[in-house]
Amino acid sequence: MYADHKGLPLDEVRVHLSHNKVHKEDCENSDQKGAKIDKIERVIEIEGDLNEDQRKRMLEIADICPVHKTLHNEILVESWLKD
C-alpha cells in the first residue's frame, strides 16, 4: 500500500519468518531466570528499482504495520468448543 501510494517502483515483496523459543536471560531486560520467550526473525526481500533510502523506508513501514504492532502487544487468546 505504501509503495503504491508513494509511486515507488516496487515489483515484489517476500517475507520469511522463523520462530524459536529462547531463554529470556539471553535477551535484554531479563528479569526471570530460566524463562523463555518467543523470538521471531524476519527477513524481507524487496524487488524493484528502489534506491537505498527507499529500501530503508520500506523497512520502517514494515515495523509499523498493524500485524507488527499486534505482535509487540500482549495477546490474549480465548478458546472454546463449538456446540
Side-chain angles (χ1 to χ4, degrees), residues 3-78:
D4 286 342
H5 177 72
K6 293 294 185 177
L8 299 179
L10 180 65
D11 296 328
E12 189 171 350
V13 175
R14 283 183 296 284
V15 179
H16 306 271
L17 300 173
S18 64
H19 171 263
N20 291 295
K21 289 279 192 182
V22 297
H23 289 282
K24 193 170 183 179
E25 58 260 14
D26 295 338
C27 301
E28 295 179 17
N29 303 324
S30 173
D31 58 355
Q32 294 180 11
K33 198 119 175 101
K36 288 192 173 184
I37 61 170
D38 293 287
K39 178 181 179 182
I40 297 173
E41 293 181 335
R42 177 180 63 173
V43 177
I44 303 171
E45 292 183 75
I46 298 174
E47 289 185 11
D49 192 23
L50 281 73
N51 64 38
E52 194 58 33
D53 288 339
Q54 291 168 327
R55 292 175 54 79
K56 287 179 184 176
R57 182 65 180 145
M58 291 297 295
L59 180 59
E60 291 172 2
I61 295 301
D63 285 343
I64 60 172
C65 81
V67 173
H68 188 88
K69 286 181 177 181
T70 298
L71 290 171
H72 277 271
N73 290 330
E74 184 175 339
I75 298 173
L76 172 64
V77 178
E78 295 179 347

